């Protein structure tokens, strides 16, 4: 159920239809020698109206979430409005921006530690890890870049993208210069958002 809420709305519809067909037509036609299992298989059609309906519940939730993320991105006017977002909205904004560029986007929706990975991007057989930092006051230093480079190596990803609403220190830029590490500061993020709106 939780997975269907995250996936596009039409996945719930396909799963629901598949469950209906499976419960109504496939399960009753299966024959087994087990005297307890056979009556259960024959009784499954009685569940065919209930289970598919339950599996449809995530569809409108997923559709609303997708709509909300599109509105979130389209409503951004400048880096000032971006900096006013909560950390969760900032991650959703970044995910939606890459989604509009044709990436398959996997957002980290867990409440616990994420290992530095906020968003995972997939395109052309390559995996790119994204870390989002909506820090308004301080520059992001080399420590964060080193940590994410280590995560990228451990995860065997093609690259890592670190997106912030502020600035990177020169030391951070120097460390990333010859590595598959893309540093996106506030001004670059603003341009990215404008380009995909």
């Amino acid at each position: 159920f939780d997975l269907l809420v995250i996936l596009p709305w039409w996945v719930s519809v396909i799963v629901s239809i598949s469950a209906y067909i499976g419960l109504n037509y496939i399960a009753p036609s299966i024959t087994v020698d087990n005297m307890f299992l056979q009556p259960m298989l024959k009784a499954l059609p009685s569940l065919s109206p209930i289970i598919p309906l339950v599996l449809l519940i995530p569809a409108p939730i997923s559709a609303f979430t997708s709509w909300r993320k599109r509105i979130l991105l389209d409503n951004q006017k400048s880096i000032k409005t971006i900096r006013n977002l909560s950390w969760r909205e900032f991650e959703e904004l970044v995910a939606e921006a890459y989604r509009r560029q044709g990436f398959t986007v996997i957002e980290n929706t867990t409440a616990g530690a994420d290992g530095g990975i906020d968003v995972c991007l997939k395109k052309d057989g390559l995996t790119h890890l994204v870390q989002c930092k909506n820090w308004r006051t301080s520059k992001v230093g080399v420590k964060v870049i080193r940590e994410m480079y280590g995560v990228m190596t451990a995860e065997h990803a093609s690259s890592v993208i670190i997106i912030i609403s502020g600035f990177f220190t020169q030391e951070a830029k120097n460390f990333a210069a010859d590595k598959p590490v893309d540093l996106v500061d506030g001004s670059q993020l603003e341009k990215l958002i404008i380009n995909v709106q």
Side-chain angles (χ1 to χ4, degrees):
F1 190 88
D2 290 342
L3 183 61
L4 289 174
V5 169
I6 296 167
L7 293 170
W9 65 269
W10 50 265
V11 174
S12 291
V13 175
I14 291 170
V15 170
S16 177
I17 292 169
S18 301
Y20 181 82
I21 292 168
L23 292 170
N24 236 8
Y25 302 107
I26 298 172
S29 66
I30 298 171
T31 55
V32 291
D33 292 332
N34 188 312
M35 59 187 249
F36 296 107
L37 192 55
Q38 189 63 42
M40 289 172 65
L41 288 171
K42 297 291 184 199
L44 284 177
S46 64
L47 298 174
S48 66
I50 300 165
I51 292 176
L53 280 175
V54 170
L55 292 172
L56 275 178
I57 293 171
I61 298 168
S62 173
F64 173 77
T65 302
S66 296
W67 172 81
R68 184 181 55 75
K69 290 174 184 177
R70 287 193 302 272
I71 296 298
L72 174 70
L73 190 144
D74 291 334
N75 284 342
Q76 299 312 309
K77 306 295 182 206
S78 67
I79 193 63
K80 288 181 183 177
T81 61
I82 293 170
R83 286 181 179 148
N84 287 329
L85 298 175
S86 70
W87 66 269
R88 175 59 75 191
E89 289 172 325
F90 187 75
E91 290 177 10
E92 290 176 345
L93 175 77
V94 168
E96 181 63 22
Y98 281 98
R99 195 175 283 114
R100 290 190 188 187
Q101 293 181 69
F103 285 90
T104 299
V105 176
I106 303 163
E107 296 178 59
N108 186 348
T109 57
T110 57
D114 57 19
I117 304 168
D118 297 318
V119 179
C120 183
L121 307 174
K122 293 184 183 289
K123 191 175 185 180
D124 301 327
L126 302 175
T127 301
H128 311 276
L129 307 179
V130 180
Q131 185 179 57
C132 304
K133 296 278 188 202
N134 194 14
W135 292 345
R136 300 172 184 89
T137 54
S138 61
K139 290 184 176 181
V140 174
V142 72
K143 181 176 183 275
V144 172
I145 316 307
R146 280 196 188 112
E147 288 171 357
M148 284 310 297
Y149 182 67
V151 171
M152 181 201 79
T153 305
E155 295 289 328
H156 306 291
S158 301
S159 72
V160 65
I161 306 165
I162 301 166
I163 302 178
I164 63 172
S165 58
F167 306 93
F168 291 100
T169 64
Q170 190 57 50
E171 190 181 6
K173 292 176 185 177
N174 293 344
F175 180 82
D178 60 345
K179 298 172 182 64
V181 176
D182 191 11
L183 303 181
V184 179
D185 64 19
S187 62
Q188 293 168 311
L189 175 60
E190 185 177 21
K191 288 176 191 170
L192 170 64
I193 298 304
I194 291 168
N195 287 340
V196 297
Q197 279 179 332

